[in-house]
């Protein structure tokens, strides 16, 4: 065992992985007491809000589905808890694992509430010590209680580190990555320590830093540590031996892998990770012995997943799909024929993988259709979705009429198949009672009906209205009202029982081509409506809903269900014959399924005397022109895109702001408010429009510079603004809206001559490797002048993200504006008029003079303010010595003086060590106020250390930033960086986050009994930049006549380089090649060259060009004047006839 242990601990990258995961473990331990207290406060707050609401019926999460993500069906008390928990959830529309918790314990156990905010796999955990770091991080991120304590992006960074470690198949990390990961953890520790005042984190920071520096040597019986820093790391290992910590980390990794396998995500990747994990444990027998039980469970899970996959493969080969009454090939073929007839692209078929098989997906003319059932064969899934697409297109009137279609063709289509409707009668004889009585009769009635309402998935909007809601529901659905039975308990309390008896009838909503299928659909409807009564969990893997309904009824002691089936119409578009309107159940389950029939086509409640299957004709009246039905559409564009600007910057914050400025240009935003960061403007805009906020990744480039990427991947939804009379037209309007808003992202020039905006949007998305868009269409008002009704599901989104576009500007990305009701007050998009208002009238006049106006040229003015501050560090009675000893006093003396000179900033990196003494002494002689240095030596046979004593000295450090705080922070960071080596403050001084540099420096000075810091403002500088966005802009040759095409192209290339602000490069490289190199490097389209009359040339390009002046100015007015001169200097290259002088080299 010792050999294998020593072997893995000789692997540097494995030790790096282990150090990172140990840091996460230490962070988890440090958060336990803090989260214990905060969770208690949050739970107490909920108790005060809900005024002691207690569950009396032991509600559970059985109705949450296999994945546990559907909201549970609960009693009125638990429903109030559920609503309050959701109101405190920052992502309540995302995936929530309800099966983590036990609803009936929400009022009593604080961690049952906290688990709603945690990821999957925390169901059995009830104490703080049982949760892993992932659970803690998710809890703090998604619970609004922590918003004022910690920033979500800091939690995201640590979560990313955790996922990188747990998903690492090799369990290896480079030293550079380890340091980056641990720095993210330390940032969170420091933030919480300063913001939340957590005592446990005071020592934790030191322990993690020392762990970073520690060399680990593991021996047979325990742990030996060689550390350069005191006893803090020993205290870590006093808590738990390294072996135990290592095992705990690997247990979490095995559990995380098991969860991913259960979710059937990235199956091949997870199986490969399982193989490498087993290989690692086989080579480390000491770990294998301890982790064998966990590994055995994982092996069983992997085996089940493999068997399931093999079973699906066998079903694909052997199973026939007896769903269609005629050969299913006809649906797919017929859909292809319809597409060709309507001059659409051929339908694109695909499928979604599910545990039981496949769901079909087809894209028809830009509209996505998805199958309803899961099929074991791909072919059957495609046929079903083709049938659905044909029915929808026919119902929407999107297909061209075909009067010449023969009878034989008609009989071969799905529309001519006979349809069947079925009604199932379920006879119930059951009671709903509660275990506890009530002191008041009204209370007992309300509790009983509340319980019955929860069984049917009903939820009262007003407290005390459960009875009336249930009775209205039963009346509307044609059910017999429940009978109230009263009892008195031994403690003289009242109990109300509700007795339900009689037939309950349910009917399939849509016709089916087979009688058996119609009966299954009716049984499914009954199961859905009676799920809370019969205890159905919502899952029927085999699709045998008749069998499942019968099984549950027999289990509860009820009679077997009976079915009545009658034929309806023939399924053609002209034949609307169907049985009487189906039994309507208003919001009867959490899914709130609604019949597809419009309100005008069905009564609110069916007449009791009518047979439930009596055929009726639905009359379709021709709409009056004035009251035509209006339609609204929304389009969902799913982007997987990272905005990766080519520029690099010396400061991380500068790189982040530049990235957001680039993104703002792509969305046509204008940074019009002084002193407001462009990042905040973009974030506010995305929030108002309902978009997912960008994820930023700022990384060092290796040359002490930074580059920031923005990941804007996610769903972007856009809506048609005005109702139209045709669904297809509404979808085109929605596509046009998406093109307008995403013009800068997709590279759209604003022109669509054919008016086929759907096709143009799909073309641009496919060209960039994105998914095809999907559309939803809903009816709105009736088209009368006074009716502005939007569909309910669209109205909120339309109002919250409405844009006004100018017809004269095409669809240029900058020519849009957010309505005042929904946009942030301080920001605006470029206005829609022809002359966009910018901050500087001088620059405005220049642009208009030379016709650099929309839509071909968009602009945005920004001013970067740089504050310069200086921090003074007054040191007294300090001793400087080197950490190393030297063979001679002379060498030791040289090195001590070099160390002091470097800290003072008078000895650069190129200074010869032998000259350091002369430079330092000369500096002290020139400053008469400084006392001369005194020297002493420590003799450590056979080596020496030189000690220099300085009575007093003032160190000055300069810092620059966008504001006073940032400048002071940078000055303090510079002081820490230089003084750390001088005074042996070590890694604790160098590892500094952005927020605590001043505090760290002050603390270290206090520990060494030095004077406090003093700051001084040096100056404030301004740099103005005009961001120009050229869209298909052309520059033509002018002035002299050219004898060759090459000469003319060289002229326009010189003009373009001048506009770009670039200098000429090597004379041996053609100037046109220099232009192409610039555009390729920046990632813009390569300009197009064309010959014009009289041996001229023209170059057309699209690009973002920044125009800025070189020297920062002490005032905004001077900066504006400098920028104007620079702008005019560039414009002269495209307007002057004679540019013979060319560009500067």
């Amino acid at each position: 065992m010792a050999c294998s242990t020593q072997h893995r601990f000789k692997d540097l990258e494995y030790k790096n992985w282990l150090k990172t995961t140990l840091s996460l473990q230490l962070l988890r331990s440090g958060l336990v007491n803090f989260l214990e207290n905060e969770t208690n406060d949050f739970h107490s707050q909920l108790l005060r809000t809900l005024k002691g609401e207690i569950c009396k019926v032991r509600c559970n999460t059985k109705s949450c589905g296999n994945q546990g993500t559907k909201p549970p069906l609960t009693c009125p008390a638990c429903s109030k808890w559920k609503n309050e928990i959701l109101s405190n959830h920052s992502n309540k529309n995302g995936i929530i694992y309800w099966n983590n918790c036990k609803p009936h314990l929400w009022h009593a156990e604080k961690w049952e509430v906290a688990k709603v905010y945690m990821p999957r796999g925390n169901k059995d955990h009830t104490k703080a010590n049982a949760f892993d770091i992932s659970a803690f991080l998710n809890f703090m991120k998604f619970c609004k209680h922590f918003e004022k304590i910690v920033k979500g992006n800091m939690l995201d960074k640590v979560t990313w580190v955790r996922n990188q470690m747990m998903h690492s198949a090799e369990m290896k990390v480079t030293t550079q990555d380890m340091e980056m990961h641990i720095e993210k953890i330390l940032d969170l520790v420091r933030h919480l320590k300063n913001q939340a005042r957590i005592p446990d984190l005071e020592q934790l920071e030191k322990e993690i830093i020392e762990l970073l520096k520690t060399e680990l040597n593991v021996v047979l019986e325990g742990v030996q540590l060689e550390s350069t820093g005191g006893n803090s790391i020993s205290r870590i290992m006093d808590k738990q031996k390294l072996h135990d910590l290592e095992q705990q980390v690997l247990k979490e990794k095995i559990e995380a892998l098991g969860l991913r396998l259960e979710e059937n995500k990235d199956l091949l990747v997870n199986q490969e990770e399982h193989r490498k994990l087993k290989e690692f444990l086989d080579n480390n027998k000491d770990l294998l012995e301890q982790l064998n039980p966990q590994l055995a469970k994982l092996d069983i899970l992997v085996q089940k997943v493999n068997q399931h996959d093999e079973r699906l493969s066998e079903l694909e080969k052997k199973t026939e799909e007896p769903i269609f009454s005629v050969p299913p090939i006809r649906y797919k073929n017929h859909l292809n024929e319809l597409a060709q007839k309507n001059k659409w692209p051929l339908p694109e078929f695909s499928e979604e993988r599910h545990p039981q098989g496949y769901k079909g997906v087809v894209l028809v003319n830009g509209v996505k259709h998805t199958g309803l059932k899961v099929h074991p064969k791909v072919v059957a899934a495609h046929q079903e979705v083709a049938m659905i697409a044909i029915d929808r297109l026919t119902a929407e009137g999107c297909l061209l009429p075909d009067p010449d279609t023969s009878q034989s063709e008609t009989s071969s289509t799905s529309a001519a198949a006979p349809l069947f409707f079925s009604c199932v009668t379920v006879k119930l004889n059951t009671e709903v009672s509660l275990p506890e009585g009530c002191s008041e009769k009204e209370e007992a009635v309300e509790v009983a009906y509340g319980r019955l309402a929860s069984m049917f998935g009903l939820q009262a909007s007003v407290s005390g209205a459960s009875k009336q809601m249930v009775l209205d529901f039963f009346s509307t659905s044609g059910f017999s009202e429940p009978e109230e039975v009263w009892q008195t308990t031994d403690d003289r309390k009242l109990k109300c029982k509700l007795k339900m008896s009689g037939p309950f009838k349910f009917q399939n909503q849509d016709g089916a081509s087979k009688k058996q299928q119609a009966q299954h659909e009716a049984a499914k409807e009954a199961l859905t409506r009676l799920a809370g009564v019969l205890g159905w969990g919502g899952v029927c893997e085999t699709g045998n809903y008749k069998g499942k309904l019968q099984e549950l009824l027999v289990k509860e002691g009820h009679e077997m269900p009976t079915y009545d089936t009658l034929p309806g119409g023939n399924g053609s578009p002209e034949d609307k014959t169907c049985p009487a309107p189906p039994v309507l159940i208003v919001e009867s389950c959490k899914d709130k399924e609604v019949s597809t029939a419009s309100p005008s086509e069905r009564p609110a409640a069916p007449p009791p005397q009518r047979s439930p299957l009596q055929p009726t004709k639905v009359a379709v009246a021709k709409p009056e022109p004035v009251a035509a039905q209006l339609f609204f559409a929304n389009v969902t564009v799913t982007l997987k895109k990272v905005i990766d600007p080519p520029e690099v910057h010396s400061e991380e914050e500068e790189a982040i702001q530049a990235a957001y400025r680039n993104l703002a240009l792509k969305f046509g935003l204008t940074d019009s408010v002084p002193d407001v960061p462009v990042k905040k403007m973009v974030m506010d805009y995305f929030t108002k429009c309902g978009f997912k906020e960008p994820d930023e990744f700022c990384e060092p480039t290796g040359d002490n510079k930074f580059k920031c990427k923005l990941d804007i991947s996610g769903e972007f939804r856009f809506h048609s603004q005005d109702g139209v009379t045709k669904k297809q037209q509404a979808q085109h309007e929605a596509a046009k809206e998406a093109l307008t808003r995403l013009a800068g992202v997709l590279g759209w020039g604003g022109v669509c001559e054919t008016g086929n905006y759907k096709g143009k949007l799909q073309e641009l998305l496919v060209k960039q490797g994105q998914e095809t868009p999907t559309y939803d269409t809903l009816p709105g008002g009736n088209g009368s002048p006074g009716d502005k009704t939007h569909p309910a599901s669209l109205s909120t989104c339309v109002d919250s993200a409405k844009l006004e576009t100018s017809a004269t500007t095409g669809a240029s990305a900058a020519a849009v504006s957010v309505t005042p009701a929904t946009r942030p007050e301080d920001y605006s998009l470029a206005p829609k008029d022809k002359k966009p208002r910018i901050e500087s009238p001088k620059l405005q006049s220049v642009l208009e003079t030379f016709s650099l106006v929309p839509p071909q040229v968009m602009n945005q003015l920004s001013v970067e303010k740089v504050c310069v501050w200086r921090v003074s560090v007054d040191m007294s009675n300090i001793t400087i010595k080197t950490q190393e000893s030297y063979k001679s006093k002379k060498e030791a003396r040289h090195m001590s003086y070099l160390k002091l000179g470097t800290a003072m900033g008078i000895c650069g990196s190129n200074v010869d060590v032998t000259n350091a003494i002369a430079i330092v002494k000369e500096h002290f002689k020139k400053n008469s106020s400084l006392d001369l240095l005194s020297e002493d030596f420590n003799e450590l046979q056979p080596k020496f250390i030189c000690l220099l004593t300085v009575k007093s000295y003032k160190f000055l450090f300069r810092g620059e930033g966008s504001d006073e705080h940032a400048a002071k922070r940078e000055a303090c960071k510079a002081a820490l960086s230089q003084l750390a080596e001088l005074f042996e403050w070590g890694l604790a001084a160098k590892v500094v986050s952005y927020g605590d540099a001043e505090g760290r420096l002050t603390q270290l000075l206090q520990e060494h009994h030095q004077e406090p810091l003093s700051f001084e403002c040096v100056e404030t500088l301004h740099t103005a930049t005009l961001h120009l966005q050229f869209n298909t802009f052309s520059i033509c040759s002018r002035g002299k006549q050219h004898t060759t095409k090459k000469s003319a192209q060289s002229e326009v290339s010189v003009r373009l380089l001048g506009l770009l602000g670039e200098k000429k490069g090597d004379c041996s490289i053609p100037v046109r090649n220099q232009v192409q190199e610039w555009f390729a490097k920046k990632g813009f389209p390569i300009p197009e060259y064309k010959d014009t009359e009289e041996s001229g040339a023209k170059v057309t390009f699209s690009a973002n060009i920044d125009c800025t002046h070189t020297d920062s100015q002490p005032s905004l007015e001077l900066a504006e004047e400098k920028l104007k001169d620079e702008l005019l200097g560039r414009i002269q290259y495209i307007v002057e006839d004679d540019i013979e002088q060319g560009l500067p080299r």
Side-chain angles (χ1 to χ4, degrees), residues 891-908:
E891 185 180 3
R893 188 164 174 259
H894 281 309
M895 297 307 297
S896 292
Y897 273 93
L898 178 63
K899 186 174 183 179
L900 176 59
T902 302
M904 295 167 61
I906 59 176
C907 290

Side-chain angles (χ1 to χ4, degrees), residues 26-306:
L26 293 173
L27 174 61
R28 190 203 71 83
S29 300
L31 293 175
V32 169
N33 292 334
F34 163 69
L35 287 178
E36 188 77 42
N37 296 331
E38 291 297 326
T39 307
N40 190 64
D41 292 344
F42 177 55
H43 191 255
S44 299
Q45 174 191 331
L46 295 181
L47 286 173
R48 289 192 297 271
T49 303
L50 295 168
K51 299 179 181 179
E53 290 284 348
I54 298 176
C55 176
K56 299 180 180 180
V57 294
R58 294 185 65 83
C59 293
N60 55 48
T61 57
K62 291 182 179 179
S63 59
C64 294
N66 284 343
Q67 299 297 325
T69 56
K70 297 179 180 179
L73 299 174
T74 54
C75 67
C78 288
S79 294
K80 293 180 180 179
W81 273 92
K82 178 173 63 178
N83 293 337
E84 192 63 28
I85 290 170
L86 280 176
S87 69
N88 284 278
H89 202 297
S90 62
N91 189 27
K92 56 188 176 184
N93 294 323
I95 297 176
I96 300 176
Y97 291 98
W98 293 98
N99 63 348
N100 272 341
C101 62
K102 298 175 182 176
H104 69 279
L105 295 178
W106 279 339
H107 72 281
E109 298 292 339
K110 60 178 179 288
W111 289 110
E112 292 300 326
V113 173
K115 287 192 290 187
V116 178
Y117 304 92
M118 295 181 181
R120 185 169 178 250
N122 290 285
K123 182 177 182 180
D124 299 324
H125 300 160
T126 57
K127 302 293 181 183
N129 284 322
F131 298 103
D132 61 11
I133 185 62
S134 176
F136 281 173
L137 293 172
N138 277 266
F139 179 30
M140 290 191 289
K141 177 182 178 181
F142 293 118
C143 181
K144 292 182 179 179
H145 175 77
F146 296 95
E147 285 183 345
K148 296 182 179 179
I149 301 176
V150 62
K151 298 178 181 178
N153 62 338
M154 301 188 76
L155 296 170
D156 288 341
K157 291 178 181 179
V158 179
T159 301
W160 180 81
V161 172
R162 181 263 176 193
N163 292 339
Q164 290 291 106
M165 297 303 100
M166 291 297 104
H167 298 177
S168 172
E170 301 287 346
M171 291 182 291
K172 293 182 180 181
V173 177
T174 65
T175 301
Q176 182 180 358
D177 287 344
M178 176 196 68
E179 293 174 351
M180 180 183 68
H181 294 334
I182 293 182
E183 177 60 22
K184 287 183 171 66
I185 298 171
L186 285 171
D187 281 346
L188 178 60
V189 170
R190 292 170 186 141
H191 177 80
L192 289 172
K193 182 185 70 175
N194 297 329
Q195 187 74 15
R197 307 291 182 186
I198 307 175
D200 294 351
L201 298 185
E202 292 286 346
Q203 185 61 28
L204 177 60
E205 181 183 0
K206 297 179 182 178
E207 293 176 345
I208 293 177
I209 292 174
E210 291 302 326
L211 177 63
L212 181 66
K213 300 187 297 183
T214 300
E215 289 295 330
L216 305 177
N217 285 328
V218 182
V219 294
L220 181 63
E221 295 297 333
V223 179
Q224 289 181 343
L225 297 165
E226 299 174 2
S227 175
T228 60
N231 296 322
S232 62
I233 194 66
S234 300
R235 286 195 293 273
I236 299 175
M237 297 312 171
D238 287 343
K239 298 177 183 177
Q240 196 174 24
K241 287 186 177 181
L242 181 60
H243 273 306
D244 297 332
L245 285 171
E246 184 184 29
Q247 290 168 20
Q248 180 63 33
V249 167
L250 289 170
K251 283 180 183 178
E252 285 191 17
K253 179 174 175 60
I254 292 174
E255 290 173 2
L257 179 57
L259 287 174
R260 297 203 303 275
L261 284 167
E262 287 180 353
E263 293 173 352
N264 200 25
K265 293 181 178 178
D266 298 328
L267 186 58
L268 295 177
V269 175
N270 294 331
Q271 288 176 339
E272 177 65 15
E273 186 175 342
H274 171 253
R275 184 189 66 78
K276 290 184 177 180
L277 178 63
K278 289 192 66 174
E279 183 179 329
F280 171 81
L281 293 177
D282 287 339
N283 293 331
N284 296 276
K285 302 298 182 184
D286 58 319
L287 290 174
L288 180 61
E289 182 178 353
Q290 298 296 326
L291 299 174
N292 198 50
Q294 289 80 12
L295 189 62
K297 291 180 181 179
L298 185 63
D299 290 339
I300 293 173
L301 181 60
V302 172
Q303 184 178 2
K304 288 182 178 179
V305 171
N306 291 335

